[in-house]
Amino acid sequence: MKGILLAGGHGTRLHPITLAVSKQLLPVNDKPLIYYPLSVLMLAGVREIQVICSPIDLPQLTRLLGDGSQLGIQLDYVEQAEPNGIAEAFLLGADRIGDDPVALILGDNIFHGHNFYEILQQNRQDIDGCVLFGFPVDDPSRYGVGQTDADGRLISIEEKPSEPRSNRAIVGLYFYDNDVIDIAKNLRPSPRGELEITDVNRVYLERGKARLFDLGRGFAWLDAGTPASLLQAAQYVQVLEQRQGVRIACLEEVALRMGYIDAAACHRLGAQLPSSAYGAYVRSVAREFA
């Protein structure tokens, strides 16, 4: 499976902050926002990942993450001149995806919950169609909403419905088989001029090949795309990290636990951050595995 991390756009909901810096580089407690979606793809076992970003943000992101080899993964960067819809990611990444299935995650989405590794591994296996992820919300009319039957198959998708048929928002994490490339190529822009991910999902729905996995209670999904939600995400991460003594979305730890790097390599990465608590944590994790 190949991965796409969509980190494009102009971050207009965060202006004026994002007039000078990429949204994906803004801090969520002790690490940049982009660490959180990248860690999800790594936990899913995806090691070849395309980062789609605007040309102006490309130098900053490559300075932060490089080619990914230090984490045992491969990162490629694809420029998106203008944000023309989420589904454009499949057109920009088609050559690198090849004949493989693909996982797409939005660059401002944060996920955390028990058994998340198992959930990702379970749902990435033998994909025939698409696997979407649902999360219960109080205000479903703000989101794309999925309704399922007793077997978890999607029976309807509504975009920001005035009278929602369920309270399950479809979040910014998607698993697709390789048909998604041809589907995206045949999309027409929506009235707002974008290639909509909801239209991709509806094609799979019409084919009877769309499934919604409900993340449910005990799980956290945060969209850090506004000042308020960015602050809430930082507070959530801070409380959990202080109470539990662990780091959420520590890329070095994920790489080590997934077997992408060894303890010595992990320790070297931590040693490059000698003055920060984050670096000390990376070194402590490496010592556990030494």
Side-chain angles (χ1 to χ4, degrees):
M1 173 178 276
K2 303 292 178 59
I4 295 177
L5 198 168
L6 186 54
H10 303 303
T12 53
R13 292 184 297 166
L14 284 160
H15 281 177
I17 304 170
T18 46
L19 290 174
V21 64
S22 167
K23 173 173 63 174
Q24 277 70 36
L25 295 178
L26 297 178
V28 177
N29 193 35
D30 58 347
K31 63 191 74 69
L33 173 57
I34 198 170
Y35 274 39
Y36 295 85
L38 180 54
S39 72
V40 173
L41 294 179
M42 292 171 64
L43 280 172
V46 180
R47 300 181 70 171
E48 296 180 49
I49 299 168
Q50 301 171 60
V51 179
I52 296 179
C53 60
S54 68
I56 196 171
D57 293 336
L58 180 59
Q60 296 174 310
L61 292 175
T62 53
R63 180 182 177 187
L64 174 68
L65 298 171
D67 63 3
S69 58
Q70 74 279 12
L71 298 169
I73 62 176
Q74 177 183 326
L75 295 177
D76 294 308
Y77 298 86
V78 181
E79 293 186 6
Q80 183 185 40
E82 291 294 333
N84 296 314
I86 295 173
E88 187 186 33
F90 303 113
L91 306 183
L92 295 172
D95 290 342
R96 293 173 177 84
I97 294 170
D99 297 326
D100 293 318
V102 59
L104 169 67
I105 191 167
L106 304 188
D108 57 5
N109 274 220
I110 296 173
F111 297 89
H112 180 254
H114 183 58
N115 289 334
F116 194 31
Y117 167 79
E118 288 80 5
I119 290 171
L120 294 170
Q121 293 297 318
Q122 168 191 341
N123 284 285
R124 64 157 288 173
Q125 301 299 322
D126 302 321
I127 296 175
D128 181 21
C130 74
V131 180
L132 311 177
F133 294 85
F135 187 80
V137 294
D138 289 334
D139 49 353
S141 60
R142 292 178 52 205
Y143 304 95
V145 175
Q147 182 187 15
T148 63
D149 63 17
D151 296 322
R153 288 190 298 267
L154 273 175
I155 56 176
S156 73
I157 299 174
E158 301 175 287
E159 186 65 30
K160 297 180 180 178
S162 57
E163 297 183 4
R165 298 176 184 176
S166 84
N167 69 337
R168 289 178 176 84
I170 297 175
V171 303
L173 174 64
Y174 318 86
F175 291 171
Y176 296 100
D177 63 15
N178 195 255
D179 288 349
V180 72
I181 296 175
D182 287 334
I183 292 172
K185 287 179 179 177
N186 288 293
L187 288 182
R188 294 183 178 180
S190 67
R192 62 177 183 168
E194 297 189 359
L195 300 179
E196 305 288 354
I197 196 68
T198 297
D199 291 337
V200 171
N201 297 335
R202 285 195 177 118
V203 172
Y204 280 105
L205 177 63
E206 291 168 1
R207 295 178 179 180
K209 290 188 173 184
R211 183 163 60 86
L212 186 71
F213 183 91
D214 191 2
L215 293 172
R217 296 180 62 179
F219 210 91
W221 166 60
L222 302 166
D223 173 359
T226 67
S229 60
L230 187 67
L231 177 60
Q232 291 168 357
Q235 292 171 330
Y236 174 85
V237 172
Q238 180 187 44
V239 168
L240 283 182
E241 292 189 345
Q242 287 184 345
R243 292 288 182 92
Q244 297 180 353
V246 298
R247 291 289 198 275
I248 298 172
C250 174
L251 298 182
E252 297 84 356
E253 180 179 13
V254 173
L256 178 59
R257 294 188 182 278
M258 292 295 294
Y260 301 163
I261 61 174
D262 59 21
C266 184
H267 194 276
R268 286 194 297 271
L269 292 173
Q272 294 173 10
L273 309 169
S275 302
S276 72
Y278 183 91
Y281 176 79
V282 172
R283 296 193 298 275
S284 70
V285 169
R287 287 192 293 269
E288 291 179 18
F289 283 76

